[in-house]
Amino acid sequence: MKKQISTKNAPQAIGPYSQAISANGFLFISGQLGVTPAGEFAGSSVEAQAEQSLTNLQNILAEAGLSFDNVVKTTIFLADMADFAKVNVTYAKFFKEPYPARSTVAVKTLPKDALVEIEVIAAQ
C-alpha cells in the first residue's frame, strides 16, 4: 500500500507527481529544486539552490516523521559537474556519517533551468 506525503513547507508538485510516496517501509521523495515553497529560486548560486533543495527535503521528511538520519540513498542532478565540490560542502551540512549511498550526475538541463536537483529515499 502506498500513501502520499505532502507539506506546504516545500514547493508543490508542478506536474502529475507527488512530493513523496510512502510504500513498503520506505519514503521516496521526488527531486527537489532549490526553490522556496512559494516557487522562487533561493538564489542564483548552486550553493544557495542546493541548500534550499536540502531544506525542502528536510521539510518533507519531517512531514513523514523522519529526518536525514533515515535517508539511505540520494541522487543529485547537476547542470554542471564543475559544481560537484560546491554542492558537497552544502550537502555535508545536512548529513552525518554513515552517509547515505549516493549518485551524482550531470544533466543537460533541469526544470526551470535550475542548477541542482536532489532526491532521496528514506527507510521508515
Side-chain angles (χ1 to χ4, degrees):
M1 176 178 226
K2 65 181 182 178
K3 176 183 173 190
Q4 183 179 32
I5 304 294
S6 183
T7 178
K8 292 181 181 180
N9 295 322
Q12 299 306 298
I14 57 173
Y17 61 91
S18 300
Q19 282 180 338
I21 292 290
S22 172
N24 298 321
F26 289 95
L27 181 69
F28 301 87
I29 302 181
S30 295
Q32 295 295 304
L33 301 176
V35 296
T36 67
E40 302 296 324
F41 278 109
S44 59
S45 72
V46 72
E47 296 94 339
Q49 290 186 26
E51 177 128 2
Q52 184 63 51
S53 173
L54 289 158
T55 298
N56 294 338
L57 292 165
Q58 187 173 44
N59 290 337
I60 296 168
L61 285 162
E63 184 69 23
L66 304 174
S67 72
F68 282 116
D69 290 340
N70 298 93
V71 173
V72 296
K73 173 73 168 79
T74 65
T75 305
I76 300 175
F77 304 94
L78 295 173
D80 185 347
M81 193 55 81
D83 289 331
F84 184 84
K86 293 176 187 175
V87 171
N88 270 345
V89 170
T90 303
Y91 182 92
K93 295 177 187 176
F94 288 82
F95 290 95
K96 61 184 179 187
E97 292 190 43
Y99 298 115
R102 186 177 103 178
S103 300
T104 304
V105 296
V107 296
K108 184 175 178 182
T109 55
L110 288 165
K112 299 179 115 180
D113 289 323
L115 301 176
V116 61
E117 180 175 5
I118 305 171
E119 65 181 27
V120 304
I121 300 170
Q124 295 180 293

